[in-house]
Amino acid sequence: MKPIDLVLLAGRYDAHGRQEIATSAPTLDSSILYEAIGISYAHRVTAPLADAIRGSTKDMAVRWAAGESARMLRWGHAINVTEFRHLMAEFERAGVVIHVLKGFLVDALVYSNAVPRSYNDLDILVTQENSSAAHQVLTECGYRQGELAPDGLHVTPFSTERSEGYIEELQHAPEYIRVDSTTGLSFRVDLHHRLATVFDHIAIDISALEFEKYQTRYGELSGLARNDMLCHLAYHAWWDTQSIANIADCRDLRLYQLADIRLLLAAGLGTTQEMLDRARALGCYQTANWALSVISHLWGDEGFDTSPVEHDAAREFDLNVSDRWLQRDTSTPLFTWDTPAWERIRNSDRGVLALKKFFFDYVDAHTKLGDVMQWSMRSN
């Protein structure tokens, strides 16, 4: 068994996955277990993997590493939850209507303190009318827009041009960051006004979105209605695949994004047919169908019905790779993969392969035609 196989089992978040890891771990070399723990951070499935390894291996060093990994993850998760629940209360106090997206909401709905869903920031969606009021709340809570300085203790503001670029082209305002002066810990908030960049040829119709209030373990949270939430999670999972930089860092295919969808469906928060029907209405059917197909190939059909999924169409869609940052568009592929996502995710060298394909299938192909690449330099 390879390290990625253990990580895939952890991504199931169920008794079957834990049992398979517990059975295999004692028979595996410690180097495989260490590598699996390392890989699990990118996929954000460290908690179930570390717990299963710690409870089964006899290697004391591995058990300690697994235990510390799980402990630090839970510590970071608890700190984020405390911070973001405080922010929720401040938005409510100020009368600012916000809708929680992705990690924090999914964590509140289908994960637990025992097996938490880790996330690096809080994503919230606001209307243009509420954006100024939301900005004021964040500012009063100590958040500043920009990027974290190299020392990790200060926020460097963006230039006016770069900030305007965020608003005009990206899906959220320049990132809000708060650095705690006592602990040095930093917290991040993305204030969304759309769910795609202007470069994406597939984009969720934000005007058609529906919202729902959920009773969660973190109190009442407003978010996208359940099938809209599933569509957005699927869309964002695909969104990450359309960047060569992401592929080079193996951040293009990460299990937590797919596990979120699987767990929500298993919890009865939507169905595959409802999700696909809703995706057609929102303009993101291809990405929803793709995500469900990848989930089915990785973990099987247990827990939800995949009969509505068009697997052949998903595979064809999956193989196309564009780069929104380079092309300022995603409709024309730079190159195509030879293997589908459920196989590529096992290949840690896919970044090297992508860079080779980009050069030979795109750059070199154009230069042989006599084409000249030119950069349009921006002042931000």
Side-chain angles (χ1 to χ4, degrees):
M1 183 174 286
K2 297 180 179 180
I4 187 62
D5 296 316
L6 294 171
V7 175
L8 285 165
L9 287 170
R12 293 178 59 95
Y13 281 94
D14 61 13
H16 171 77
R18 290 191 296 273
Q19 184 57 48
E20 285 289 314
I21 296 171
T23 301
S24 303
T27 69
L28 298 174
D29 187 82
S30 60
S31 62
I32 293 177
L33 301 180
Y34 282 126
E35 186 175 346
I37 293 171
I39 294 172
S40 73
Y41 281 98
H43 292 284
R44 300 187 190 174
V45 296
T46 305
L49 176 69
D51 286 345
I53 289 176
R54 182 178 55 179
S56 57
T57 183
K58 295 181 180 179
D59 188 316
M60 292 301 295
V62 174
R63 288 178 64 180
W64 181 88
E68 282 298 290
S69 296
R71 186 180 70 82
M72 292 301 293
L73 184 145
R74 291 187 174 95
W75 175 76
H77 173 264
I79 290 174
N80 276 336
V81 168
T82 300
E83 172 73 10
F84 296 149
R85 289 186 72 176
H86 168 70
L87 270 182
M88 296 295 103
E90 289 301 305
F91 281 119
E92 184 176 3
R93 180 190 60 77
V96 179
V97 177
I98 62 164
H99 306 291
V100 185
L101 304 172
K102 300 192 296 183
F104 186 72
L105 179 58
V106 179
D107 174 42
L109 287 170
V110 292
Y111 290 84
S112 67
N113 289 332
V115 187
R117 157 68 153 83
S118 62
Y119 34 86
N120 296 326
D121 54 19
L122 174 67
D123 291 275
I124 53 180
L125 177 66
V126 297
T127 63
Q128 289 287 4
E129 294 77 17
N130 275 341
S131 60
S132 294
H135 170 84
Q136 183 174 345
V137 170
L138 288 166
T139 301
E140 290 175 353
C141 289
Y143 283 80
R144 299 293 180 264
Q145 288 181 280
E147 57 190 345
L148 201 61
D151 64 8
L153 299 176
H154 303 88
V155 178
T156 302
F158 288 154
S159 66
T160 301
E161 293 83 0
R162 188 172 180 185
S163 295
E164 290 174 348
Y166 266 77
I167 299 297
E168 294 171 2
E169 299 175 346
L170 305 189
Q171 65 267 58
H172 56 76
E175 192 170 39
Y176 290 83
I177 303 174
R178 183 178 79 83
V179 178
D180 187 285
S181 59
T182 303
T183 64
L185 296 173
S186 59
F187 304 93
R188 303 166 184 265
V189 176
D190 284 340
L191 198 62
H192 290 255
H193 51 275
R194 59 172 75 96
L195 299 181
T197 73
V198 298
F199 313 123
D200 295 292
H201 76 291
I202 299 174
I204 292 175
D205 181 0
I206 196 168
S207 67
L209 288 172
E210 297 176 354
F211 301 94
E212 185 174 343
K213 289 186 177 179
Y214 300 92
Q215 300 303 320
T216 78
R217 63 197 182 102
Y218 302 147
E220 183 178 270
L221 297 175
S222 177
L224 300 180
R226 55 194 63 193
N227 287 296
D228 291 26
M229 172 170 53
L230 289 167
C231 290
H232 178 228
L233 292 170
Y235 177 80
H236 200 268
W238 167 80
W239 192 91
D240 276 346
T241 69
Q242 302 303 295
S243 162
I244 293 176
N246 277 3
I247 301 169
D249 289 340
C250 287
R251 292 185 289 114
D252 55 325
L253 295 168
R254 293 186 286 179
L255 292 178
Y256 72 92
Q257 296 175 310
L258 303 166
D260 286 349
I261 298 170
R262 183 172 179 268
L263 290 174
L264 286 165
L265 288 169
L269 290 166
T271 70
T272 52
Q273 186 63 67
E274 292 170 347
M275 176 182 172
L276 291 171
D277 289 344
R278 190 66 183 135
R280 287 189 177 92
L282 293 173
C284 58
Y285 175 80
Q286 288 175 298
T287 57
N289 185 66
W290 168 82
L292 289 171
S293 183
V294 176
I295 292 168
S296 175
H297 279 92
L298 287 177
W299 294 306
D301 301 342
E302 183 181 347
F304 64 99
D305 176 23
T306 58
S307 60
V309 180
E310 298 181 275
H311 291 289
D312 289 343
R315 182 187 179 105
E316 182 179 353
F317 176 71
D318 166 76
L319 297 178
N320 293 324
V321 180
S322 59
D323 189 311
R324 69 177 54 79
W325 311 121
L326 175 68
Q327 298 170 279
R328 290 325 209 215
D329 179 48
T330 57
S331 61
T332 305
L334 288 172
F335 63 86
T336 57
W337 289 112
D338 300 318
T339 56
W342 45 92
E343 295 179 15
R344 293 198 307 275
I345 198 170
R346 297 175 178 274
N347 181 10
S348 60
D349 293 327
R350 64 184 182 274
V352 175
L353 179 59
L355 290 171
K356 286 182 178 179
K357 280 183 166 291
F358 167 61
F359 181 80
F360 289 110
D361 295 2
Y362 184 76
V363 177
D364 191 52
H366 276 284
T367 55
K368 284 178 178 176
L369 294 173
D371 296 339
V372 178
M373 293 185 68
Q374 293 182 322
W375 288 104
S376 177
M377 303 301 290
R378 298 172 71 166
S379 61
N380 56 357

